[in-house]
Amino acid sequence: MTRYRTFGLFVFLAAVWGSAFMAIKAGLEFFPPVLFAAVRYDIAGVVMLAYAVYTTDDPVPRGRAQWTDVAIGAVLLIAAYHALLFVGQTDPTVTSAAAAVVVSLSPVLTTGFARAFLPSERLTALGVVGMVLGLVGVAVLSELDPSNLLAGSTVAKLLIFGAAAAFALGSVLSRRVDSDLPIATMEAWAMLGGAVIMHCVSLGMGESVGSVVLTGEAIAALAYLSLAASAVGFLVYFELLERLGPIEINLVSYVAPVFAALSGWMFLTEVPTAATGGGFVLIFAGFVLLKRRAIRAEIAALTETDGGTAD
């Protein structure tokens, strides 16, 4: 029963996070991009803080290490990631599936940043090939034209690549901080702090609340992103992280584009291109090369478990 519950939660998370790209695309018709991201985390942060107050003994960070953990989350995991992602998705040629595929590069970049910040760990020759394959995948997906590197869709996809890089860097730096802050507390304050940063960026960009068009579709997109994709999604993610470990949970990034493509096709009539598929294959191949030893260990462990007594 436990195994089926874990599988169900994995599929649920991939579906929620994948379809979030469609919800972002839909909501951008009614909100300025950075303001949209900021309001999303105003709501999600309040919900997560209420959850932290209810479930933990430490709903408020204390000490330098805990506030550093929150700051990394606010700046990189929330503000930088979402501001770049939302602005990138304003380009009409960037489909939900394409954005999800670029973001799926994040686990590959996380490995690269981990090697950079942990000099004792070196990339092998195959690891370097994996990194290169991932980056080539983004180039294929972006349909880079050396003679016109400032083409709109290319810039938009590179902004989304920057979002994936910010998330990967934040993930690595947060692991380096020796903090015992409960996950729910860290997420709540990072969301609220990231929302404040994005409100400041939104003002600096000249975005206006007056340009928001509140319709049923706009409210539905905002509610879905704030409650389902952010509040519920992160809680499911951390439960799965504890059950599966970092290797298997990373596979969510490679299942999510399937749901992004399906939801984009169903609700926005988006049709994935050959470049989207080719970029995905290269990025996933890079992930497999980088994580080949850990994947072999996971497969061996699963084989031993299947040979024993099932839950």
Side-chain angles (χ1 to χ4, degrees):
M1 186 62 70
T2 300
R3 187 176 301 171
Y4 291 123
R5 172 178 166 79
T6 299
F7 177 76
L9 288 174
F10 182 94
V11 174
F12 170 81
L13 183 61
V16 168
W17 278 4
S19 56
F21 291 94
M22 176 276 299
I24 292 170
K25 195 75 173 177
L28 286 170
E29 295 289 329
F30 310 99
F31 294 88
V34 181
L35 179 61
F36 186 21
V39 174
R40 169 187 179 177
Y41 280 100
D42 288 335
I43 299 170
V46 169
V47 172
M48 284 296 294
L49 184 58
Y51 178 82
V53 169
Y54 180 74
T55 60
T56 72
D57 295 327
D58 299 304
V60 178
R62 306 176 190 279
R64 180 177 179 180
Q66 292 188 354
W67 279 111
T68 299
D69 201 11
V70 168
I72 291 170
V75 173
L76 293 171
L77 300 179
I78 302 298
Y81 171 71
H82 290 91
L84 291 170
L85 174 63
F86 278 52
V87 172
Q89 281 202 255
T90 58
D91 190 299
T93 65
V94 178
T95 64
S96 306
V101 169
V102 176
V103 169
S104 72
L105 183 66
S106 183
V108 177
L109 294 173
T110 298
T111 302
F113 283 126
R115 298 298 187 264
F117 286 94
L118 298 171
S120 59
E121 298 186 33
R122 301 293 183 189
L123 280 176
T124 63
L126 279 177
V128 172
V129 172
M131 285 288 295
V132 172
L133 274 178
L135 295 173
V136 170
V138 173
V140 169
L141 178 62
S142 300
E143 299 180 84
L144 290 178
D145 179 1
S147 66
N148 190 17
L149 289 177
L150 296 181
S153 61
T154 299
V155 171
K157 289 169 185 173
L158 291 179
L159 285 174
I160 298 172
F161 170 78
F167 192 91
L169 179 59
S171 299
V172 171
L173 293 180
S174 64
R175 290 207 300 263
R176 288 171 56 91
V177 177
D178 186 16
S179 168
D180 56 355
L181 188 63
I183 292 296
T185 302
M186 189 279 287
E187 285 294 334
W189 287 96
M191 287 176 177
L192 292 172
V196 170
I197 294 171
M198 287 189 288
H199 276 296
C200 293
V201 172
S202 176
L203 287 172
M205 292 174 62
E207 294 182 348
S208 169
V209 174
S211 63
V212 174
V213 179
L214 280 184
T215 65
E217 186 178 348
I219 294 171
L222 179 60
Y224 185 79
L225 290 170
S226 302
L227 302 177
S230 297
V232 176
F234 274 109
L235 291 177
V236 172
Y237 171 81
F238 286 112
E239 180 176 345
L240 287 174
L241 181 62
E242 184 176 345
R243 292 187 183 197
L244 300 176
I247 302 302
E248 288 188 64
I249 195 61
N250 270 338
L251 295 176
V252 168
S253 298
Y254 300 101
V255 180
V258 176
F259 290 98
L262 286 173
S263 59
W265 172 69
M266 290 175 62
F267 295 100
L268 304 176
T269 64
E270 297 176 337
V271 180
T273 66
T276 301
F280 173 79
V281 169
L282 289 169
I283 291 171
F284 183 70
F287 170 79
V288 171
L289 284 177
L290 281 165
K291 297 293 187 181
R292 63 195 182 282
R293 294 174 182 168
I295 291 171
R296 281 199 298 265
E298 291 286 345
I299 292 173
L302 286 173
T303 302
E304 291 176 6
T305 300
D306 290 339
T309 303
D311 290 337

mmCIF file of all heavy atoms in Angstrom, residues 107 128 235:
data_model
loop_
_atom_site.group_PDB
_atom_site.id
_atom_site.type_symbol
_atom_site.label_atom_id
_atom_site.label_comp_id
_atom_site.label_asym_id
_atom_site.label_seq_id
_atom_site.Cartn_x
_atom_site.Cartn_y
_atom_site.Cartn_z
ATOM 1 N N PRO A 107 18.144 19.744 -12.507
ATOM 2 C CA PRO A 107 18.948 18.719 -11.825
ATOM 3 C C PRO A 107 20.352 18.569 -12.403
ATOM 4 O O PRO A 107 21.303 18.276 -11.673
ATOM 5 C CB PRO A 107 18.123 17.437 -12.027
ATOM 6 C CG PRO A 107 16.729 17.910 -12.239
ATOM 7 C CD PRO A 107 16.866 19.198 -12.998
ATOM 8 N N VAL A 128 31.235 15.281 -17.596
ATOM 9 C CA VAL A 128 31.377 16.472 -18.434
ATOM 10 C C VAL A 128 30.519 16.337 -19.686
ATOM 11 O O VAL A 128 29.844 17.286 -20.109
ATOM 12 C CB VAL A 128 32.858 16.685 -18.821
ATOM 13 C CG1 VAL A 128 32.980 17.804 -19.847
ATOM 14 C CG2 VAL A 128 33.687 17.011 -17.582
ATOM 15 N N LEU A 235 4.606 20.670 -0.242
ATOM 16 C CA LEU A 235 4.427 19.710 0.855
ATOM 17 C C LEU A 235 4.571 18.277 0.345
ATOM 18 O O LEU A 235 5.217 17.439 0.983
ATOM 19 C CB LEU A 235 3.057 19.916 1.508
ATOM 20 C CG LEU A 235 2.896 21.218 2.287
ATOM 21 C CD1 LEU A 235 1.472 21.343 2.813
ATOM 22 C CD2 LEU A 235 3.885 21.290 3.442
#
